[in-house]
Structure formats: C-alpha cells, structure tokens
C-alpha cells in the first residue's frame, strides 16, 4: 500500500474504522441510552469532516495504481456526504426512540454508507466504483428494513434490494464490456484508449450505456425510477431523507466523474440519451407528484424531478467550453437540494406519529397557526424546491438553466422551466394546507429535528443573498481531467 | 464610507444626515414602543424628532452663514452601474436648508398641535389605538420630505418625492373606513395617489431622458452640462423640463392635475396643514427652483410653467368662492397660491417664488390649524349629535366671541394671505406681481384678478364662520380649545405677521441668502403696484362685507347671496366647473370599461379557461403517470428493461 493511497483515503478509512468500533462499543450501551451511540456516530462524522477539510489544500492527485483520486470535486462532495450523514443522525435519534427501534446498528450502518459515498467520490477505477456502490447500497437495504415488524418497511427493503441487485448487474455488465473494448478499467486509461487504440465502438457504447443505466437507477432517473416512491414511502423517514439527499448526490458524483473524465470523446453518442433521460425525468417526476396524497410519496417524486434537473447539468458534459459551468452548477445544485431536502425531511419526520400516521397532506392543516416556525421553515423548503427567489433553490435552477443554455440545449431549459412551473402546484399545496386550512396537527417534541429544520431554512435563505460565494466555491472545486 | 471622503468647510455640515435620520428614528421608536408609551410618550417622541430636525437645520443655516458655498455630504454609495455612479448624498446649500427650516419648523409646530388634535380625533372616531400610527406616518413624512429637499441628485429627490406621496396617501386615508359610504376617504386617498402617479410618471420620464442625455443625475453635473447639451440638441432639455412640469402639476396640484388636493381634505386637519398646504405640495415649486439652470435653457418650458401657474391661480380662486366646506375653501386657496408660486418660478423670479412659498407655509398652515380648531370645537360641543358636517361653514357663525384666540389668529392668517400691508403675504405676493408686470401684462392682470378673488373668498369665509349669529347648537356652545391647540396658532400667527421681514424691499435678506444657490435677478419695489394690490384688497373685502357681513345669513339653509346675482355662473363655481365629472367621462369611465372587459371577458373566460384547461390536462397526465406504479417488482423491472431496450434501439437505429 503506497502512501498516496493512504493520504487520499484517510478520512474514508477513519470513518470505516470508527463505524466498526461503534458496532462493538454499542454492545455495551444499554437500549435506553442509545443517544450515546448517536453522539459517538456524530463525533465520528465530525472527525472525518475535520480530516476532509484539513485536506482542502492538497493538490489534486491519484495514487500510483490509479485506483483513487483526490481533487476539489471529491473533497467538496465528501463535505456534502458527511454533513448529510450528520443530518441523518440528527433526524434519526428521536425517531428511532419513538418508533421503538432504537438499535445501535442504525448509526454504524449509516456511517458505512457514508464511507461508501466518499469512496465513490474518490474512486478512479470502474472496479472500485462498483465496490463503492455496493458499500453504499447494502447498508441502505438494511436501513430501509430496520423498522422490521412494519410490513411497509420490509417491503421497501426487499424491493430496494431486488431492484438494486438488478441494476448492479447492469453496472457490472457495462464495466465488463468497457474492459472488453478498451482493456482498461481506470478512467484515465479508458479516456486514453478511446483516443489512441483501436476500440470496438459497438461494444464500447453498449458498455457505456449499461453503466449509465445502472447509475441512472441509483439517481432514480426515469424510466429507472419505479422503485423510488415505494422504497421512499416504506423506509423509516430519516432513512428516506438521507437516501433522497446523499445517495442521489453520490450517484451524481460518480456519474459526473465518469462522464467528464472517461467519456468526453463519446459525447455525440451519450448526450442525446442524457437529454432524453433528463427531459423524461423532469416531466414524469413533476407530473406524478401532483396527484400524491402522502407527503412522503410526493417528496419521493419531487426527488425524481430534481434528479431530472441535475441530469440537465450533465447533458453538455462533453463540451469543454462549458465544462467548468457543468461542474459548478451540478455541485451548487447538489448543495441547494441537500439543504432544502434535509430540512424538508426533518419537518416530515417531526410530524410523523409513532404508528406511521401524520404523513398525509391533510395532516399539515393548521401547522401555520400551531407551529409557526416549523411551518415557516417548511415554507422556505417548498419555495426553494420550486425555485422561487430569495431561496437557494432559485439560484440552483438559475445556474442549471444557464449551463444548459450555454451548452446549446435551450429546449431542455424550457422544459425545466415549464416543469418547475408545474411543480409549484404541489409544493404550494403544502403551504395551502399549512396556512389556509384549519386543523390541529400534532408535532413530536424533537429538538434536534427543529434545530435541523431551522438551520437548514436559515442557510437556504441566507446563502441565497450571497450565491456567488457558494458558486465560486463549487466552481473552484475542480474535477481533475485526464 | 460615512462622510470620510468629503472635505467639508465647516464641521457642522456633518450633522446634515440627521435631518433625515432623526425623524426616521422617531418612526422606528414609535413603531417599536409607541403603543406602550401611550399618547404622551408617542407624541413627545414625534415632536422631539421634528424639533431635533429643526435644530439641526438651524445649525446648518448658521454654518452656511460663515461658509455660504455649502457642501455635499455623502452618506452612502448607493450603486454603480457602468458609468453611472449614484450616491446617497445631501446637498447642503442655502436653498435646501431654507426648505429644511420651513419643513421642520412649521412641521414641528403642526406636530405639537396634532398631539392635542389627534387626541380628540381618535376619540371622536372611537379608535384611540390609532394615535401612534398617526405620528409614525407624520414622522415618516418629515423624513421623506427631508430626503426630497436635501437630495443632491434627481434620483434621490425622486425617492423623497415618492416617499412623501406615499405618506400623503396613508394620511389622507387615515380614517380609511370613513367618508361617503365607508369608502369616501379610501377613495380620496386612492385618487390622490393615482393622480400623483401620473405626475410622478412625468418626472420619471424626465429623469430617464436626463440619464440618457447627460449620463448623470447629479445636480451639479447636469446643470453644468445643460448649456452644452442645449447647443447640440435643444429638444432634449425642453423635453426634460416639460416632463418635469407634468410632475410639478401632480405634486403641486396645478392644472390639469389639481383635482386630488380638494379630496385630500379627507385626511385629519394637521395633515392638511402640514402636507397639503405647507410642505409637500410646494415640492413642485422647489423642483422648478432647483432646476432653474435647466429651465433657463428652455424658455418655452418656462413660459408653459408660468402660464400653468397663472391660470391655475385664477381658476382655483374662482372655485374657492363657491365652496361651503371650511377646509375645501382653503384647499382651493392653496391650489391658487401654489399657482402664484409656480408662475413666479416660471417667470424666473425664483426668489419671489421661494419667498411666497415660505410665507404661505406660515399663514396657510395657520389657517388650516385654525380651521381645525373650529372643527374640533364644534365636534366637542355637538352633544346632541345633530351636526351632519362639522366642516360646513353654513352651520357655523358667531364664533368670534366663542373662540377668541382661534378668531384672531385666523383673521391674521386670512389678512396675511389676502396681502394686507405689512403682513407676510403682502411682501411676497407683491414681489410676484412686480415680476409679472415686468414679464407680461396679461399675466399681471390674471394674477391681480386671482389676488382679488383670494381676498374675497377669505373675507367671505371669515364672515361666514366668525360673524353673525350661530346657526347650529354646536356653534352656539362651542368653546375655545386648550393651549396645545392655541399656542401653535399664536406662534404661526406671529410668523405670519413678521414673515415679511425675511425679504423686505431694500434689504432683501432672502435674496442675498439664496444667491449662493440660485441665479437671482434683484427684485424691485414698485409703489404703484403695491397700491393697486392694496386697492384690490380693499375692494374685495368691501364687496364681501356687502354680501356676507352687512346682513349675515340667519339660518344654515339659506341660499348664498351670490347665487341669486350670478345664477348659472355661481352654480358652475359651486360644482367646481365640473372638472371631476369631465375627467371621469374622459378617462376614468372608459378606463373602467376597458378594465371590465379585460377582467370579465378576457381574463375570466379566456385566460382563466386556458389555465383551467391546462390544469385539467396536467392532472390527467399525472394520474396516468402514477397508474403505472402498481407496486409489483416485476412490472418495475419490465419498465426498466423497456427503458434499456429503447436506448439501445435508438443507438442501433439512428
């Protein structure tokens, strides 16, 4: 093992080691004090966050075997994953007690999954990407089913697992075909092979498409999205929130890296496919969200819709001129979406009752009167999801659409705008219930949820006044191009 | 940022921003804690804010005495776009400080008066909670007016211009649930706002053209470049000044946009005194005076200003003769006097215009406040609630002995307005008449006729209100108001008596003061003109005495003695020449019909139908999209496979 490898993976390894320790330590922590495990998990995440930030000044580099890479792009995403992990802990602690499933495994599994995500951001080789994907996914299959006696939770876990295994097959198949065509699995190697060596185009494109499909499943792009509403609805709400935000970000992290680092020369073939996926995802996600009665399903479709917007950023991936804008707008939107999404899911978690009630839209009636701060935070999130100014969501969409237009995909941007308009219908309906319908919603006393919601709402509003700062940060977090 | 980059000749100029910030502090304090402090505290804060602004203005005036060239005090770099650099900076020169002194001085007196007046008014309307709100608006008005007069560029001036318009709107509609049918006051406020917006639009266009032609909005730069721009494109400055004039006719209630001011009397009387007599409505006069270097380059526009002012002076004067509402008479009188000022600045007699602006602020504020005192006394004495309208002069009469202080101060105000030597109005009006006589005999005669009407309707008002016998129970039992009401009256009466000292013939204090800011042409004193105007005054008062004083009306219902003598003409005066009806026919009703068409046919049927249809379409699409979601993993994998197949098929077949 060479020293570069260690340096690059230090935060990931530390987190993994901490998660293993946590599994052991948890055995001695009594059931009624699982809060200690939560604090330990949070400490581990915070420590990994500190390690990651301390690496911020490192130059972009790969290890000698070209397995992993460390660059601004990966570090930026690491921070996002770790912060989402912290939010995942904050969301879960009270919920688990309430649902009577306060087991220590939850936190260890969450940490493993985050480690998988970080590995995904750093992976520079298709084999490692596959491994990271599995490391990220398997804990989530378990977490979805952690509310075991509940049928929905079990159903969710099983569906996620079956379809996840199915899609992993595609990733593996794609990797094999690409290897067959180029004899390489490292991304710069594939890039070099495409330019110099004779490559069988049919096999290569077939492999690339299968790889793309496998990852499209992970980010729930239409038509590979069918699992999302069912899994999101059945999984425990904190897990759903974590999945909706962090897994999506991890999927886009690796999708963006493969497309920009390995495939820029085949843009002619892949761009139309990405275009169609983005358009379909935006349309179907937003349209289907309209008729949902359950807030979890509604947000599930909303997360599909946002995957469509994020895909839009990647459509001009092969255009070197707008490459930096592609990255910057992708990362910016991921942050905006993460803050908004985690906050919204925190509110949903706060309103859910022990028996799983409190998830209908009608259950939000009267929230504006009874819990004005929570309702205000939810308002901010809904407006940010819609993309209304004075929220981060507005700037996120603004930069995305600008990237699409700069790349020459005006029609796609128009579709984005029109579907955003449609989305106002179901996002604003939440506000309508909260402020214009009478009701007496019951909200669990859960300080951490409220802290998460209010902090996220503040961030969503305040950063929207200085979007340049975040955009510059995202724009300077460069992805190393071969 | 604060003031750092400006070198000031006198450190006292650094205080200048306080003229805005002190009233603003009053606004904020009263907003936050006014309710809790109660009436005494809220009123005190508001008055102190006004008095503080006056003290600062006075300090600035003393500073200007030693360094009369003044200063530009930068508060804040507002924004910079391309070559355009806009600042929040105050122009401290003799003209702006004169306006500050008038606004804060008269304003403070009116604030003091209002503490007592509003005390009764809010109880009369059974809404004591609104007391604080009134003073929040009042202080906000002071702040906005200070922004207007202290601006050193046209955009900041425009901000103040809009700010005072907003405060005017809020205060006219202060009793928004009152008036005819519960909507009258709100309608009056709306009318004032809309009509003012028409004028503001003109000013805005003027500013846009200015920006295009000069590339700057700063007074000094624009004025310096004016001759050069005129030399290359003479039409530009003409357009700017004419559009500016539209703004002036809106804010200063000149023809054709004067119609809002009489309706604005729906506001509480202190509002009428402060905003609709003494300060805000003179903003147009100030604007023309300030922009004198532009009007010099556009003689045609200056002539239009002159004629608009002169005709308004006469036209409004005729209407005032036929009114019975004590405040409406004063409102039309204000329009008429503003016409004098506008005419003065239009003919280049800027000092005369400013002089009249100052003296008018004294005696017109006095008249309004005294009228308010009458109204208040009547309302308080109206125990049987049999008074339909406490502002109707026909139900008054005989108040001379009952409200002695109010009577004497009102009389002083009326005489000052009519131009009796040596009261303030005599000197200022005389200067305007002299300038008019030199400019054009026609204008001179028009203004002289307006002066005749002024003296006539004021005498009529004095006779109707204070002489004869009381014509209602309320008038019978009216009693003088407490000192908080009468002391400001006395103070303003003193100002109205001695205000002429500001610019006495031969001494010309104001002229020498303002010549640091303006191009002044020295005024002359022409004895025969003074004598003619005094003769006109005597004739008017005699005529009024013959009609109203010799044999005062006995009952409230009697017809006006002029009605029989003038017949149809009088009815036309009474109906205000039907200008409102004409505008309604010309603009309002066609506009309403178009709006009706757009809302009921175009919007409801077409646009709404389109929206509903689209909504239904999206709903059905949505139902279709979620129907595929049947919960079976096998069908999910099927969709997945269909997707993969479709992509591969595309790649094969393209």
């Amino acid at each position: 093992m060479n020293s570069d490898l260690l340096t690059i993976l230090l935060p990931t390894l530390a987190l993994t080691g901490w998660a293993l320790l946590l599994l052991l330590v948890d055995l001695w922590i009594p059931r009624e004090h699982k809060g200690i495990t939560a604090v330990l998990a949070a400490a581990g995440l915070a420590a990994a966050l500190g390690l990651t930030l301390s690496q911020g000044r490192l130059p972009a580099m790969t290890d000698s075997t070209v397995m992993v890479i460390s660059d601004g792009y990966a570090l930026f995403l690491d921070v996002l994953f770790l912060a989402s992990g912290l939010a995942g802990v904050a969301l879960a602690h009270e919920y688990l007690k309430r649902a009577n499933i306060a087991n220590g495994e939850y936190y260890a599994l969450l940490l493993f999954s985050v480690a998988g995500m970080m590995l995904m951001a750093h992976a520079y080789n298709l084999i490692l990407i596959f491994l990271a994907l599995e490391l990220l996914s398997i804990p989530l299959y378990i977490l979805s089913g952690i509310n075991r006696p509940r049928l929905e939770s079990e159903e969710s876990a099983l569906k996620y697992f079956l379809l996840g295994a199915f899609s992993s097959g595609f990733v593996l198949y794609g990797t094999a075909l690409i290897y067959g065509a180029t004899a390489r699995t490292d991304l710069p190697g594939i890039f070099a092979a495409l330019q110099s060596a004779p490559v069988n185009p049919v096999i290569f494109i077939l492999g690339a498409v299968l790889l793309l499909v496998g990852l499209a499943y992970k980010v729930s792009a239409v038509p590979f999205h069918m699992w999302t509403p069912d899994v999101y609805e059945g999984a425990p709400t904190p897990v759903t929130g974590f999945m909706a935000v962090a897994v999506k970000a991890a999927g886009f992290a690796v999708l963006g890296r493969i497309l920009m680092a390995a495939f820029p020369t085949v843009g002619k073939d892949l761009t139309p496919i990405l275009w169609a996926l983005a358009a379909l995802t935006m349309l179907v996600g937003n349209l289907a969200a309209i008729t949902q009665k359950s807030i979890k399903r509604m947000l599930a479709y909303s997360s599909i819709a946002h995957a469509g917007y994020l895909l839009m950023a990647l459509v001009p991936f092969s255009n070197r001129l707008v490459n930096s804008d592609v990255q910057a707008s992708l990362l910016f939107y991921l942050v905006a979406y993460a803050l908004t999404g985690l906050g919204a899911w925190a509110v949903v978690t706060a309103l859910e009752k022990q028996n799983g009630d409190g998830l209908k839209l009608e259950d939000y009636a009267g929230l504006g009167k009874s819990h004005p701060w929570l309702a205000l935070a939810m308002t901010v999130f809904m407006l940010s999801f819609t993309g209304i100014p004075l929220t981060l969501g507005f700037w996120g969409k603004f930069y995305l659409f600008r990237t699409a237009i700069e790349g020459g995909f005006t029609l796609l941007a128009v579709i984005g705008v029109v579907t955003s308009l449609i989305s106002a219908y179901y996002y604003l309906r939440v506000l309508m219930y909260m402020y214009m319908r009478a009701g007496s919603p019951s909200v669990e006393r859960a300080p951490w949820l409220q802290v998460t919601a209010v902090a996220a709402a503040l961030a969503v509003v305040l950063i929207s006044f200085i979007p340049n700062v975040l955009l510059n940060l995202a724009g300077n977090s460069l992805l190393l191009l071969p | 940022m604060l003031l750092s980059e400006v070198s000031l000749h006198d450190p006292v100029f650094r205080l200048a921003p306080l003229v805005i910030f002190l009233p603003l502090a009053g606004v904020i304090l009263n907003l936050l804690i006014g309710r809790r402090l109660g009436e005494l505290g809220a009123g005190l804060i508001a008055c102190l804010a006004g008095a503080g602004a006056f003290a600062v203005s006075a300090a600035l005036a003393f500073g200007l005495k030693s360094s009369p060239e003044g200063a530009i005090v930068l508060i804040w770099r507002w924004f910079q776009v391309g070559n355009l650099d806009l600042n929040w900076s105050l122009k401290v020169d003799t003209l702006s400080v004169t306006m500050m002194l008038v606004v804060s001085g008269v304003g403070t007196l009116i604030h003091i008066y209002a503490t007592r007046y509003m005390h009764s008014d809010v109880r009369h309307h059974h809404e004591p909670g609104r007391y604080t709100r009134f003073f929040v608006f009042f202080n906000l008005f002071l702040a906005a007016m200070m922004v207007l007069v202290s601006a050193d560029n046209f955009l900041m001036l425009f901000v103040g211009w809009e700010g005072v318009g907003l405060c005017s709107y809020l205060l006219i509609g202060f009793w928004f649930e009152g008036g005819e049918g519960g909507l009258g006051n709100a309608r009056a406020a709306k009318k004032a706002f809309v009509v003012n917006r028409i004028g503001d639009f003109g000013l805005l266009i003027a500013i846009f053209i200015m920006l295009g032609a000069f590339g700057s909005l700063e007074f000094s730069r624009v004025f310096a470049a004016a001759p050069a721009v005129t030399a290359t494109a003479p039409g530009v400055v003409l357009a700017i000044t004419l559009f500016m004039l539209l703004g002036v006719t809106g804010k200063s209630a000149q023809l054709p946009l004067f119609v809002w001011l009489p309706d604005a009397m729906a506001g509480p009387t202190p509002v009428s005194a402060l905003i609709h007599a003494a300060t805000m409505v003179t903003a147009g006069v100030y604007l023309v005076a300030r922009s004198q270097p532009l009007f010099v380059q556009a003689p045609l526009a200056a002539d239009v200003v002159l004629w608009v002012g002169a005709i308004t002076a006469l036209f409004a004067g005729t209407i005032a003769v036929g009114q019975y509402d004590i405040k409406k008479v004063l409102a039309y009188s204000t329009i008429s006097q503003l016409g004098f000022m506008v005419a003065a600045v239009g003919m280049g007699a800027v000092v005369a215009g400013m002089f009249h602006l100052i003296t008018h602020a004294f005696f017109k504020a006095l008249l309004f406040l005294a009228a308010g005192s009458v109204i208040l006394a009547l309302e308080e004495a109206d125990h049987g609630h049999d008074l339909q309208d406490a502002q109707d002069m026909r139900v008054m009469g005989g108040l001379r002995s009952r409200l002695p202080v109010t009577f004497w101060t009102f009389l002083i105000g009326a005489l000052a307005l009519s131009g009796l030597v040596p009261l303030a109005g005599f000197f200022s009006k005389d200067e305007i008449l002299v300038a008019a006589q030199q400019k054009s005999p026609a204008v001179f005669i028009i203004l002289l006729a307006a002066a005749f009407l002024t003296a006539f309707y004021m005498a009529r008002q004095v006779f109707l209100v204070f002489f004869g016998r009381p014509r209602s129970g309320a008038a019978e039992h009216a009693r003088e108001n407490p000192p908080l009401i009468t002391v400001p009256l006395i103070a303003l009466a003193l100002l109205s008596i001695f205000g002429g000292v500001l610019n006495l013939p031969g001494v010309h204090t104001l002229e020498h003061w303002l010549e640091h800011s303006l191009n002044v042409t020295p005024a002359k004193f022409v004895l025969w003109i003074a004598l003619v105007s005094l003769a006109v005054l005597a004739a008017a008062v005699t005529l009024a005495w013959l009609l109203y004083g010799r044999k005062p009306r006995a009952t409230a219902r009697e017809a006006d003695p002029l009605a029989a003598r003038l017949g149809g003409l009088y009815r036309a005066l009474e109906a205000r020449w039907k200008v409102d009806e004409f505008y309604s026919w010309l603009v309002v009703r066609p506009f309403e019909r178009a709006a009706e068409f757009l809302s009921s046919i175009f919007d409801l049927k077409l646009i709404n139908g389109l929206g509903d249809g689209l909504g239904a379409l999206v709903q059905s699409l949505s139902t279709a999209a979620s129907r595929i979601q049947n919960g079976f993993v096998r069908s999910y994998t099927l969709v997945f496979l269909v997707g993969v197949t479709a992509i591969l098929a595309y790649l094969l077949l393209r």
Side-chain angles (χ1 to χ4, degrees):
Chain A
M1 204 183 256
N2 56 51
S3 65
D4 280 350
L5 190 65
L6 251 185
T7 315
I8 293 169
L9 289 183
L10 183 65
T12 317
L13 290 174
L15 191 65
T16 317
W18 188 266
L20 287 169
L21 264 177
L22 199 63
L23 268 183
L24 281 178
V25 171
D26 182 62
L27 293 176
W28 282 276
I29 296 176
R31 213 181 142 83
E32 56 273 21
H33 294 302
K34 290 299 180 193
I36 299 173
T37 319
V39 171
L40 288 176
L45 288 164
L49 191 59
L51 278 176
T52 304
L53 290 175
S54 74
Q55 289 189 332
R57 294 265 163 261
L58 282 186
M61 58 177 175
T62 64
D63 70 317
S64 54
T65 56
V66 203
M67 268 299 184
V68 292
I69 182 170
S70 177
D71 55 10
Y73 180 80
L75 291 177
F76 188 97
L77 286 159
D78 280 350
V79 173
L80 184 66
F81 298 145
L82 288 164
S84 307
L86 279 170
V89 173
L91 253 61
H93 173 53
E94 279 128 347
Y95 180 90
L96 296 182
K97 262 199 290 189
R98 207 188 312 156
N100 215 11
I101 44 170
N103 299 320
E105 302 94 297
Y106 175 92
Y107 302 104
L109 288 167
L110 189 77
L111 261 53
F112 283 131
S113 187
V114 173
M117 290 171 186
M118 292 168 71
L119 199 56
M120 265 178 98
H122 288 280
Y124 214 30
N125 188 304
L126 290 180
I127 301 292
L128 194 64
I129 286 173
F130 177 75
L131 282 177
L133 198 62
E134 293 303 298
L135 177 56
L136 144 80
S137 302
I138 292 169
L140 284 174
Y141 300 149
I142 308 169
L143 283 175
S144 306
I146 205 164
N147 204 350
R148 202 152 33 94
R150 298 252 332 255
L151 267 179
E152 297 92 330
S153 185
E154 291 184 13
E155 179 195 334
S156 158
L158 192 65
K159 278 184 178 166
Y160 195 20
F161 171 67
L162 282 176
L163 287 161
F166 188 63
S167 78
S168 291
F170 279 86
V171 174
L172 214 47
Y173 231 140
T175 307
L177 287 173
I178 290 170
Y179 180 71
T182 62
R184 302 296 287 265
T185 54
D186 59 317
L187 302 185
I190 295 169
F191 175 74
L194 283 173
Q195 281 182 320
S196 52
V199 169
N200 182 329
V202 176
I203 293 180
F204 176 77
I205 288 295
L206 198 60
V209 165
L210 294 186
L211 187 62
L212 199 65
V213 164
L215 292 170
Y217 163 88
K218 272 290 158 210
V219 301
S220 48
V222 176
F224 315 110
H225 70 289
M226 302 292 281
W227 59 278
T228 314
D230 291 10
V231 171
Y232 278 20
E233 191 184 18
T237 310
V239 178
T240 310
F242 178 70
M243 279 200 291
V245 170
V247 178
K248 191 148 297 183
F252 275 104
V254 80
L255 202 54
R257 188 182 291 285
I258 293 177
L259 286 172
M260 282 184 275
F263 294 172
T265 49
V266 288
K268 192 165 55 64
D269 300 310
L270 295 184
T271 292
I273 297 172
L274 283 169
W275 193 101
L277 285 181
L280 258 181
T281 309
M282 288 189 282
L283 281 168
V284 172
N286 281 311
L287 281 176
I290 283 180
T291 38
Q292 301 308 320
K293 306 265 184 302
S294 147
I295 190 112
K296 273 175 98 173
R297 277 189 92 82
M298 191 272 267
L299 286 178
Y301 279 109
S302 143
S303 87
I304 296 173
H306 287 280
Y309 296 117
L310 284 158
L311 271 175
M312 187 196 299
L314 288 176
V315 172
F317 75 95
S318 60
N319 186 344
R320 289 258 162 167
L321 294 176
V322 296
N323 209 299
S324 62
D325 279 350
V326 167
Q327 282 176 50
S329 59
L330 179 74
L331 293 180
F332 188 101
Y333 200 84
L334 281 174
V335 172
Y337 173 72
L339 282 171
T340 313
L342 287 170
W345 284 106
V347 176
V348 173
T349 313
L351 262 83
E352 185 174 342
K353 296 198 187 56
Q354 192 188 351
N355 58 3
D357 280 351
L359 292 172
K360 293 215 175 46
L361 277 176
E362 292 95 80
D363 296 320
Y364 284 71
L367 194 68
K369 273 253 168 63
S370 65
H371 296 82
W373 289 105
L374 209 58
L376 187 64
M378 193 62 168
T379 304
V380 169
F381 303 136
M382 293 300 116
L383 295 179
S384 179
F385 271 145
T386 319
I388 285 172
L390 291 191
T391 63
L392 211 47
F394 164 74
W395 290 109
K397 283 206 172 116
F398 175 77
Y399 293 133
L400 275 185
F401 295 159
R402 196 179 66 177
T403 303
I405 291 168
E406 277 174 354
F409 301 98
T410 313
L411 179 60
L412 199 60
V414 170
I415 295 176
V417 172
V418 170
T419 52
S420 296
L421 192 70
I422 294 174
S423 77
Y425 178 83
Y426 59 88
Y427 289 131
L428 296 183
R429 196 163 52 176
V430 178
L431 307 197
M432 194 269 286
Y433 273 105
M434 289 195 301
Y435 289 105
M436 296 175 193
R437 292 278 168 90
S440 47
S442 69
V443 174
E444 300 295 330
R445 274 197 56 77
W448 282 111
L449 290 178
Q450 315 217 343
V451 167
T452 312
V454 171
L458 275 177
V460 165
V461 174
L462 292 181
I463 302 178
S464 81
F465 286 99
I466 43 164
N468 278 348
V469 175
L470 182 59
L471 187 74
N472 288 341
L473 201 63
N476 291 333
S477 303
L478 284 183
L479 182 143
L480 184 69
L481 294 173
Chain B
M1 57 136 233
L2 242 167
L3 317 179
S4 54
E5 292 161 44
V6 199
S7 64
L8 300 174
H9 301 285
D10 192 325
V12 78
F13 294 147
R14 281 166 198 266
L15 293 176
L18 288 178
V19 297
I20 298 171
F21 289 129
L22 281 177
L24 217 50
V27 172
I28 292 165
L29 271 179
N30 266 338
L31 265 183
L32 293 179
I33 54 170
R35 282 266 168 122
R36 242 169 287 161
L37 289 178
E39 289 194 359
L40 186 64
L44 200 62
I45 287 177
C47 292
L48 284 178
F54 178 71
V56 173
S57 310
L60 293 177
F62 277 110
L64 284 174
K65 256 183 119 175
S66 49
S67 41
E69 66 281 10
I72 288 174
V73 183
L74 179 72
I75 302 183
W76 184 269
R77 294 206 175 287
W78 190 0
F79 59 80
Q80 190 181 12
V81 185
N83 294 328
L84 179 64
D85 203 354
L86 275 168
N87 295 331
W88 280 101
S89 42
L90 310 189
K91 191 171 190 73
V92 181
D93 67 356
T94 49
L95 180 61
S96 66
V97 170
T98 308
M99 288 299 288
M100 288 181 203
L101 283 170
V102 172
V103 170
S104 57
V106 176
T108 305
L109 287 175
I110 299 175
H111 269 67
I112 295 169
Y113 173 96
T115 56
R116 181 65 184 77
Y117 185 92
M118 292 313 292
H119 169 84
S120 302
D121 202 35
V122 293
R123 278 164 186 76
H124 184 70
H125 285 86
H126 308 292
E127 276 273 4
R130 280 199 201 167
Y131 189 83
T132 313
R133 185 193 298 177
F134 179 85
F135 284 100
V136 168
F137 291 163
F138 233 37
N139 269 357
L140 185 63
F141 168 79
L142 274 190
M145 193 69 204
M146 287 299 191
V147 171
L148 198 166
V149 299
S150 64
D152 99 313
N153 59 63
F154 280 98
L155 195 63
M156 199 176 140
L157 180 141
F158 187 73
V159 171
W161 188 274
E162 291 292 305
V164 293
L166 169 72
C167 294
S168 164
Y169 166 79
L170 292 171
L171 285 163
I172 294 169
F174 187 73
W175 298 115
F176 53 82
E177 68 282 74
E180 197 186 329
L183 283 172
N185 291 355
R187 246 188 224 135
K190 191 180 74 180
K191 182 172 171 184
F193 196 77
V194 171
V195 174
N196 260 298
R197 285 299 307 167
I198 299 172
D200 298 352
F201 168 76
L203 179 56
L204 201 56
I205 298 279
I207 290 175
F208 286 156
I209 301 176
M210 196 183 293
L211 194 57
F214 294 87
S216 172
L217 294 175
E218 262 170 60
F219 289 151
S220 52
R221 288 218 221 153
V222 169
F223 298 156
V229 170
T230 316
T232 50
V236 170
V237 177
L238 181 65
I240 291 174
T241 45
L242 283 179
F243 275 114
M244 222 181 243
L245 173 63
L246 186 60
V248 172
T249 59
K251 196 61 82 194
S252 288
Q254 299 294 293
L255 274 171
L257 295 181
F258 71 96
V259 288
W260 65 272
L261 188 61
D263 289 36
M265 296 300 122
T269 308
V271 175
S272 314
L274 178 61
I275 301 184
H276 304 121
T279 55
M280 181 188 87
V281 288
T282 61
V285 182
Y286 169 74
L287 177 65
V288 180
R290 176 58 85 190
S291 313
Q292 185 197 22
L294 292 178
F295 282 92
V296 168
Q297 301 298 328
L300 179 61
D303 281 346
V304 177
V305 172
L306 163 64
W307 281 99
V308 164
I311 294 172
T312 307
L314 183 63
F315 186 77
T318 60
I319 300 178
V321 172
Q323 301 305 310
Y324 294 109
D325 185 310
I326 186 170
K327 280 174 73 182
K328 288 255 161 88
V329 175
L330 295 176
Y332 281 105
S333 160
T334 304
I335 299 173
S336 169
Q337 295 303 308
L338 288 167
F340 272 88
M341 299 173 215
V342 169
V345 291
M347 59 185 122
V350 185
V351 176
M354 288 300 296
F355 186 25
H356 199 55
L357 186 157
I358 297 166
T359 58
H360 177 259
F362 296 156
F363 53 67
K364 192 49 73 62
L366 168 61
L367 287 169
F368 266 112
L369 294 188
S373 169
V374 170
I375 297 165
L376 203 58
L378 252 59
E379 275 174 355
E380 304 230 311
D382 182 25
H383 302 300
H385 301 287
D386 46 3
L387 215 54
Q388 293 222 320
D389 182 0
Q391 308 191 6
D392 193 334
M393 297 192 293
R394 285 170 293 197
V395 303
M396 299 175 183
L399 293 174
R400 180 173 43 137
S401 52
R402 289 167 180 81
L403 308 172
V405 181
T406 306
F407 165 68
W408 282 107
T409 50
F410 192 96
L411 186 67
I412 290 167
L415 289 173
L417 169 59
S418 308
L420 180 69
V421 71
L423 303 183
F426 166 76
F427 295 103
S428 54
K429 192 187 291 178
D430 190 63
E431 257 189 54
I432 296 178
L433 287 175
V434 171
Q437 193 269 331
Q438 285 164 348
K439 178 90 185 172
S440 123
V443 172
F444 176 66
I445 289 170
I446 290 175
L447 290 183
L448 210 54
F452 173 84
L453 288 171
T454 309
F456 179 75
Y457 62 67
M458 284 319 294
R460 169 179 179 264
Q461 187 167 36
V462 170
F463 287 130
L464 277 177
V465 174
F466 293 102
F467 287 83
R469 296 210 35 78
R471 292 182 290 273
S472 65
E476 178 78 50
H477 299 108
R479 271 180 313 160
E480 186 56 274
N481 284 299
L484 269 179
I485 297 279
T486 51
V487 168
L489 293 183
I490 294 167
L492 284 167
L494 291 174
L495 286 170
S496 303
I497 296 172
F498 299 111
V501 176
L502 282 176
N503 206 26
L504 281 181
V507 187
H508 299 302
T509 324
L510 186 68
E511 197 174 294
H512 294 309
W513 172 253
L514 286 179
E515 71 188 3
H516 299 292
S517 312
L518 299 166
N519 262 328
V520 293
T521 39
K524 277 182 288 187
F525 181 75
V526 183
L527 188 62
W528 72 265
I529 292 178
L531 290 178
V532 165
S533 85
L534 282 175
V536 161
L537 165 67
V541 173
T542 315
L543 186 63
W545 182 77
L546 287 173
L547 286 168
Y548 301 98
R550 191 178 45 170
K551 199 166 75 62
R553 70 161 57 218
T555 63
R557 240 169 264 146
E558 225 167 85
D560 197 281
L562 265 185
R565 290 178 176 78
L566 294 180
L569 181 61
Y570 186 79
R571 277 195 298 283
L573 299 182
E574 212 175 356
R576 304 153 199 180
W577 297 110
K578 299 236 177 218
V579 176
D580 272 316
E581 287 76 2
F582 174 66
Y583 285 176
S584 174
W585 171 82
L586 185 73
V587 182
V588 178
R589 244 168 296 141
F591 188 84
E592 278 175 348
R593 246 173 275 146
E596 171 70 20
F597 169 77
L598 283 179
S599 78
S600 67
I601 311 258
F602 190 72
D603 185 62
L604 272 181
K605 298 258 164 64
L606 196 67
I607 304 284
N608 215 21
L610 208 65
D612 284 349
L614 268 177
L617 179 72
V618 170
Q619 285 271 9
S620 61
L621 280 176
S622 170
T623 315
S626 46
R627 192 165 298 151
I628 325 166
Q629 199 82 28
N630 59 8
F632 291 115
V633 174
R634 56 171 185 267
S635 41
Y636 294 0
T637 24
L638 185 66
V639 174
F640 198 121
L641 277 179
V642 168
V644 176
T645 318
I647 293 175
L648 293 179
Y650 158 79
L651 284 175
L652 278 178
L653 298 176
R654 85 193 137 138

